[in-house]
Amino acid sequence: PKECWSLVSIGNSDNQKSGCQSIDIKIIKSSTRLYAFSTDSFEIILDPFLTSNHQRMKPMIYVESLYGFVAESINHLHSNVLSTNEPEAIRRGMFRYCLELAKGRR
């Protein structure tokens, strides 16, 4: 499939020094690989929200982990652990892994 996505980053440019966190939101139409590590495998399913009649019922929004285990992915997120199901499939694999290690992940 053709790559078609947008990335929105929210945070300040001084995150490392100030101890602030940032968040990246990737809006995906199509992609060959949706995530690299368990910590970036979360997906928010908005379809029910976008297709329901809001006046009759409150729509559910679902969060899932494409890594496969939501609780484990959340644990990795809190403890800065790098984990992946298919390391060989990570594009820019070694560079990306080293970048994440430099950011303090283990």
Side-chain angles (χ1 to χ4, degrees), residues 76-92:
H76 292 166
L77 189 62
H78 289 295
S79 57
N80 281 332
V81 170
L82 289 176
S83 183
T84 187
N85 290 331
E86 300 176 42
E88 68 280 358
I90 300 173
R91 292 172 296 195
R92 306 178 326 258

Side-chain angles (χ1 to χ4, degrees), residues 35 37-45 62-74 85:
Y35 73 96
F37 303 108
S38 61
T39 54
D40 59 1
S41 70
F42 296 101
E43 187 171 274
I44 301 170
I45 310 299
Y62 300 95
V63 177
E64 63 184 23
S65 169
L66 299 177
Y67 177 73
F69 309 100
V70 174
E72 189 174 345
S73 297
I74 290 172
N85 290 331

Side-chain angles (χ1 to χ4, degrees), residues 1-7 26-34 91:
K2 184 180 174 185
E3 296 284 321
C4 184
W5 52 270
S6 296
L7 181 66
K26 190 174 187 181
I27 301 163
I28 301 170
K29 182 175 182 182
S30 63
S31 179
T32 55
R33 178 159 170 95
L34 301 178
R91 292 172 296 195

Side-chain angles (χ1 to χ4, degrees), residues 10-12 15 19-23:
I10 302 169
N12 64 22
N15 284 339
C20 293
Q21 297 292 319
S22 64
I23 186 168

